[in-house]
Amino acid sequence: MFAGAPQYLVSGLTQGAAYGLIGLGFTMIFNTTGIINFAQGEFVMLGGMLSVCLLGAGLPLPLAIVAACLATAAIGGLMERLTIRPLAGAPAVNAVIITIGVSILLRGGAMLAFGKDTVALPAFSGVKPILALGAAIQPQSLWVLAVTLALLAALKLFFSATIQGKAMLACACQKKAASLVGISVARMALLSFGISGLIGATAGAILAPITMTAYDVGMMLGLKGFAACILGGLGNPFGAAAGGLILGVLESFGAGYISSGYKDAFAFIVLLLLLFVKPSGLFGKAGVERV
Amino acid sequence: MKRPILGQNAAQAALFFALLLAVPYGLPNEYYLSICILGSLNAVIAVGLNLLMGYAGQVSLGHAAFYGLGAYATAICTTRFGLPIPVGMAAGVTLASVVAWIVAAPTLKLKGNYLAMATLGFGIIVSIVFNEAVDLTGGPSGFVGIPRLTLLGHAFDSDRGYYNLMAAVLTLVVLLALNLMKSRTGRALRALHVSEKAASSLGVDIAAHKRFVFVLSAALAGLAGVLYAHYLSFIAPASFGFSFSVQLVVMVVLGGMASVWGSVAGAFFLTALPEALREFEDIDILVYGAILVLTIMYLPDGLAGGIKRLSRKLRRTEVDDARR
């Protein structure tokens, strides 16, 4: 009955950590701008594809990944400057459509630049599995979990210990009040897109050795990340991370015990059921609506 | 007061129908006609989705699912069960409506991004079922051998005949939408868009109205689905996935929210665009994305809003000229 459970748990946590990171990217942007960024999945794709490309160009692996993440952060910032900022004051649905347009642009650009092949990044520290509790753990899985935890810790520190982080939280709380105390809301929006690009690309790079990557992987990953942050309660970064882990584990067990073909459906079925019971997500506070 | 409004709509619709019927005479070959047929199918869905999104303010990122449910239901009924085509078509529209009715109650309680996520999740689940229920749907490789449309002994086996049928269907749908929005129900929908609490304090049954417009828009998507299946005689899950749901939303937004004519224009424009860009081969997707971004940035209220603004500006210059 429980044969394979530890194995499913490990692979679910690995995949879930990536979903959590992607969800975290959504949250960063949502909190400062109120926009759901549908290009978030493309940031993940860029992280993987740029790393592969730079590695092929002769850079050592760590350098290739860092450069890819920084480049994606720059693309995120550029996206905010060129397409989001000029929209100020437009209805939210227009901003969402813009991000969908940008995701099409990024996907198309990646297809032209990198081709249509599915590629992989070499595992960071070999592929010899570690046997523990009846599960064979890929070293890369440990990398994924470790990097996710490190990023979460760094973000926690960023929000609680730096002035920029606190300014960002203030924007999330009350934009008008934030700008009244001298916070540049526009700069915070730029920063949040940059950080989202960085987080998304990191998720893409650490995941690329396990799941491979291609110019069109962004959409599904983005959707799962979106699902993760809705599951955890939109706007709550740690909820997003937890939501991602839950989603990954559910998916892995569903694929293992029920049917692998319906793997992608489980996450969404659970999510729908949750939304119907508790519309604000697992860790979200029910909002008070003003009339 | 009611009469003249209805008369005005009927006249507009008649003019629109005449315009649609004239289009084939301006086309160089049959290939363009098939794009027009797809455009009018998309327009039927976009007008329905606009009733939901533009007027009632409820976003759906899963409308491709209803399109697919209509298409698969009629495909399965007419081939596997050997039922007559009209029965299959009725089954398709009914299935889309019934599923929408069931999904509506819990889903439409949600708002904003949560509603978007729920409809998106629903759409993805349905498209996964299309892919995985191979025995029923043929799986990823698609469903072949759907009979072409025959109604009342008349076979719509030429593109020309099918286009004329679509012109009639689209005109009726447009007329329905125009009239609905000027009715009591339409006003109630607009009211709940602005403020649900205010609308309900004035006696509008919020839940019932939302459910009604959701089911209606799903039924229109299902109708387009059955017509699509009997036109192409081949369907595959890829046509009913998340990308198409997004395209539908883009059609509505690009055309202009709360504008029936805008949705029609948006649907035709976005259906024709990839075809027009085909000669650029791989660059077409880039151009498509760029046009999307630029339109939203510079025409924030869509084509309909842009034209309205332009005509206002022109009129103002005329007045200025007259003063001079």
Side-chain angles (χ1 to χ4, degrees):
Chain A
M1 175 70 204
F2 291 110
Q7 191 69 59
Y8 297 144
L9 186 67
V10 170
S11 60
L13 285 177
T14 309
Q15 192 69 35
Y19 296 159
L21 278 186
I22 302 165
L24 215 55
F26 274 106
T27 309
M28 291 293 300
I29 289 179
F30 179 76
N31 272 350
T32 39
T33 62
I35 291 170
I36 293 293
N37 173 26
F38 273 91
Q40 194 65 38
E42 267 56 46
F43 292 165
V44 182
M45 175 274 290
L46 282 175
M49 291 304 283
L50 282 173
S51 300
V52 172
C53 185
L54 291 171
L55 187 73
L59 283 185
L61 184 64
L63 209 58
I65 290 173
V66 170
C69 293
L70 291 178
T72 310
I75 290 172
L78 214 59
M79 171 183 172
E80 197 275 336
R81 264 295 153 83
L82 295 179
T83 66
I84 303 295
R85 189 170 302 182
L87 272 190
V93 63
N94 285 14
V96 168
I97 305 279
I98 284 274
T99 66
I100 291 174
V102 172
S103 81
I104 294 176
L105 277 176
L106 290 176
R107 196 159 43 222
M111 185 184 78
L112 289 179
F114 310 128
K116 293 180 182 171
D117 296 335
T118 298
V119 291
L121 212 56
F124 299 173
S125 49
V127 288
K128 193 164 174 283
I130 302 157
L131 291 168
L133 300 167
I137 303 168
Q138 292 291 328
Q140 190 65 28
S141 293
L142 297 178
W143 273 104
V144 171
L145 290 171
V147 171
T148 304
L149 286 177
L151 264 179
L152 269 176
L155 274 181
K156 177 105 193 158
L157 207 66
F158 172 73
F159 281 127
S160 60
T162 69
I163 191 89
Q164 299 280 351
K166 284 178 183 162
M168 241 164 152
L169 283 182
C171 288
C173 198
Q174 241 291 354
K175 246 182 237 170
K176 203 170 261 170
S179 71
L180 279 177
V181 296
I183 295 168
S184 162
V185 177
R187 191 186 303 152
M188 290 305 130
L190 181 70
L191 195 62
S192 71
F193 270 83
I195 295 179
S196 281
L198 194 71
I199 297 175
T202 309
I206 57 177
L207 208 58
I210 300 179
T211 56
M212 318 259 278
T213 185
Y215 78 98
D216 61 351
V217 297
M219 185 178 282
M220 209 17 140
L221 286 172
L223 291 180
K224 297 279 180 61
F226 184 23
C229 67
I230 293 277
L231 188 67
L234 190 54
N236 174 347
F238 300 95
L245 288 177
I246 294 169
L247 216 58
V249 170
L250 281 174
E251 218 177 79
S252 171
F253 276 84
Y257 288 120
I258 308 173
S259 148
S260 61
Y262 286 97
K263 173 181 142 262
D264 288 333
F266 296 126
F268 292 105
I269 291 172
V270 171
L271 180 75
L272 283 189
L273 292 178
L274 175 86
L275 280 182
F276 297 159
V277 182
K278 192 170 183 299
S280 53
L282 276 181
F283 308 107
K285 284 188 210 87
V288 180
E289 196 199 348
R290 281 168 53 177
V291 184
Chain B
M1 197 54 209
K2 250 178 192 164
R3 264 281 156 69
I5 289 174
L6 201 69
Q8 191 189 356
N9 287 344
Q12 281 182 9
L15 196 67
F16 177 59
F17 187 51
L19 188 74
L20 282 179
L21 289 184
V23 165
Y25 296 100
L27 294 175
N29 61 41
E30 284 273 301
Y31 171 68
Y32 291 91
L33 199 57
S34 69
I35 295 167
C36 287
I37 293 172
L38 292 178
S40 48
L41 284 166
N42 291 341
V44 168
I45 317 174
V47 168
L49 184 58
N50 197 358
L51 295 179
L52 180 70
M53 268 179 57
Y55 290 96
Q58 312 296 312
V59 177
S60 168
L61 281 174
H63 249 54
F66 299 117
Y67 186 48
L69 284 172
Y72 272 104
T74 194
I76 291 165
C77 283
T78 51
T79 57
R80 300 269 153 90
F81 304 151
L83 294 169
I85 291 174
V87 177
M89 293 176 71
V93 178
T94 311
L95 181 68
S97 315
V98 168
V99 170
W101 194 81
I102 296 169
V103 173
T107 307
L108 294 176
K109 275 189 205 142
L110 304 169
K111 289 193 177 64
N113 292 312
Y114 291 92
L115 176 63
M117 185 68 229
T119 52
L120 190 165
F122 162 74
I124 289 180
I125 292 167
V126 171
S127 79
I128 289 172
V129 172
F130 291 153
N131 264 309
E132 295 298 324
V134 180
D135 295 339
L136 206 57
T137 64
S141 46
F143 196 113
V144 289
I146 306 163
R148 292 207 72 170
L149 189 60
T150 309
L151 281 180
L152 305 169
H154 181 77
F156 291 90
D157 44 10
S158 71
D159 272 10
R160 191 56 189 272
Y162 215 91
Y163 176 77
N164 290 341
L165 174 74
M166 280 315 304
V169 170
L170 179 56
T171 306
L172 286 176
V173 168
V174 163
L175 189 61
L176 170 88
L178 288 174
N179 279 334
L180 179 70
M181 284 311 135
K182 290 198 169 144
S183 72
R184 189 184 167 85
T185 311
R187 290 195 298 272
L189 289 173
R190 274 189 242 207
L192 75 83
H193 185 179
V194 178
S195 163
E196 291 188 12
K197 293 213 167 113
S200 103
S201 76
L202 292 171
V204 174
D205 184 340
I206 302 289
H209 276 86
K210 278 192 192 172
R211 189 176 236 182
F212 164 74
V213 72
F214 191 72
V215 171
L216 178 64
S217 70
L220 289 175
L223 174 68
V226 300
L227 289 167
Y228 174 78
H230 289 296
Y231 169 60
L232 279 189
S233 70
F234 166 80
I235 50 175
S239 315
F240 313 113
F242 175 65
S243 312
F244 188 64
S245 287
V246 167
Q247 275 181 40
L248 290 170
V249 172
V250 174
M251 286 172 195
V252 172
V253 176
L254 184 66
M257 295 275 253
S259 160
V260 172
W261 298 114
S263 297
V264 173
F268 274 99
F269 179 72
L270 281 177
T271 312
L273 186 61
E275 307 297 332
L277 296 176
R278 189 147 283 171
E279 56 184 300
F280 299 104
E281 288 186 21
D282 279 352
I283 307 180
D284 64 349
I285 186 167
L286 274 182
V287 179
Y288 181 73
I291 290 181
L292 209 60
V293 170
L294 293 175
T295 317
I296 301 291
M297 283 177 72
Y298 296 106
L299 279 178
D301 37 8
L303 295 173
I307 290 169
K308 218 177 271 172
R309 235 182 307 151
L310 191 69
S311 75
R312 211 177 299 142
K313 204 181 263 176
L314 288 178
R315 217 173 300 149
R316 210 172 298 142
T317 13
E318 260 171 43
V319 173
D320 289 348
D321 287 348
R323 269 192 204 138
R324 240 175 263 150

